[in-house]
Amino acid sequence: MKIGNVETNNAVFLAPMAGITDVTYRSICKEFGAGLTVSEMVSAKGLFYHDEKTSQLMKKAPNETPFAIQIFGSDSDMMANVAESISEQADLIDINMGCPAPKVVKNEDGSRLMLHPDLIDEITRKSG
Ligand SMILES: Cc1cc2nc3c(=O)[nH]c(=O)nc-3n(C[C@H](O)[C@H](O)[C@H](O)COP(=O)(O)O)c2cc1C
């Protein structure tokens, strides 16, 4: 399967799961044939302010190729800045638009983005 210029061996991808799909879990899934692994969702704000714990979530195992990092946030400039700064660490950058957790949606992030198509357009355009 091809996503942009990234080719995967198959179309069986490991879904990102916060608190579950850490680097060890993902590496094992890769060994068992996952075509693509994705980091847990990573806060764009945390990365922007250089929070060490947040950065740790992007740690990648040697066998994780191709690898996607999923970020969440809603500030388009911040998202674009972060996407640029992590572009070397990931083959793909995924933007979370599905998380329903109260602590995420209260900041207009995650699934809340789906209520604002114009903002989604702005984020994807600036981060592209
Ligand atoms: C504990 C848990 C954490 C999750 N964390 C994320 C996440 O960080 N990012 C994301 O896009 N989806 C997250 N999801 C959603 C899953 O990636 C997946 O889309 C969902 O479980 C539906 O999968 P299914 O279609 O295989 O049933 C999470 C789901 C669970 C159960």
Side-chain angles (χ1 to χ4, degrees), residues 15-20 39-42 70 94 96-99:
M17 286 180 283
I20 312 275
S39 75
E40 301 173 60
M41 63 177 194
V42 185
Q70 186 187 75
D94 183 52
N96 184 299
M97 296 183 204
C99 182

Side-chain angles (χ1 to χ4, degrees), residues 24-98:
T24 309
Y25 186 110
R26 294 193 314 264
S27 177
I28 293 168
C29 291
K30 189 74 194 178
E31 258 181 63
F32 279 88
L36 175 73
T37 52
V38 187
S39 75
E40 301 173 60
M41 63 177 194
V42 185
S43 162
K45 196 181 267 180
L47 294 177
F48 188 78
Y49 289 110
H50 306 290
D51 178 67
E52 187 47 39
K53 267 194 182 158
T54 306
S55 301
Q56 286 295 320
L57 294 172
M58 299 189 297
K59 201 171 145 197
K60 168 189 148 167
N63 66 348
E64 283 191 281
T65 305
F67 176 58
I69 294 177
Q70 186 187 75
I71 56 174
F72 72 93
S74 49
D75 179 322
S76 61
D77 288 323
M78 188 182 279
M79 302 278 278
N81 181 295
V82 163
E84 169 70 31
S85 71
I86 64 174
S87 59
E88 297 285 300
Q89 290 161 260
D91 301 294
L92 293 165
I93 293 174
D94 183 52
I95 296 172
N96 184 299
M97 296 183 204

